[in-house]
Amino acid sequence: MSRSKVLCLVICALLFVLSAVPALANGIKASLTVSGGTVKGTCVATVDSGCTSRTTISVQKKVDGVWQYAASGSGTKNATATGSASGATEYRATAVLTVYRDGVQVDRLTVTTSR
């Protein structure tokens, strides 16, 4: 068999295998709001069917040029953290999604948003 035919067969086999393996569709979005002296971070996750998950969100505020803890929260697919916004000039929220299948970690995503 010629080299080009072997290469074509290998490529076709790889494409077949890749099309049969489901892609991970896990995702996480984070938002940050500041209102009335309060800073609030929220995250919402989407998780593959058959998986379990854990989300955490941590909110920080920048006071006198230094990042300080403001609040944190956790949940399965959603999490919220609300804290004091007083004295701050900037804010950021970091959300983490950890996904498990049969008790084994299969994915970990992190997203940060700032304001």
Side-chain angles (χ1 to χ4, degrees), residues 12 21 24 29 44 69 74 79 90 113:
C12 288
V21 175
L24 294 176
K29 293 181 181 179
V44 177
Y69 171 88
S74 62
E90 292 180 58
T113 186

Side-chain angles (χ1 to χ4, degrees), residues 6-19:
V6 170
L7 182 59
C8 183
L9 285 173
V10 168
I11 291 171
C12 288
L14 286 173
L15 289 174
F16 176 76
V17 169
L18 289 175
S19 68

Side-chain angles (χ1 to χ4, degrees), residues 28 43 45 53-57 73-79 96-98:
I28 189 168
C43 66
S53 63
R54 176 110 175 122
T55 59
T56 60
I57 189 159
S74 62
T76 54
K77 291 186 182 176
N78 305 304
V96 178
L97 167 65
T98 308

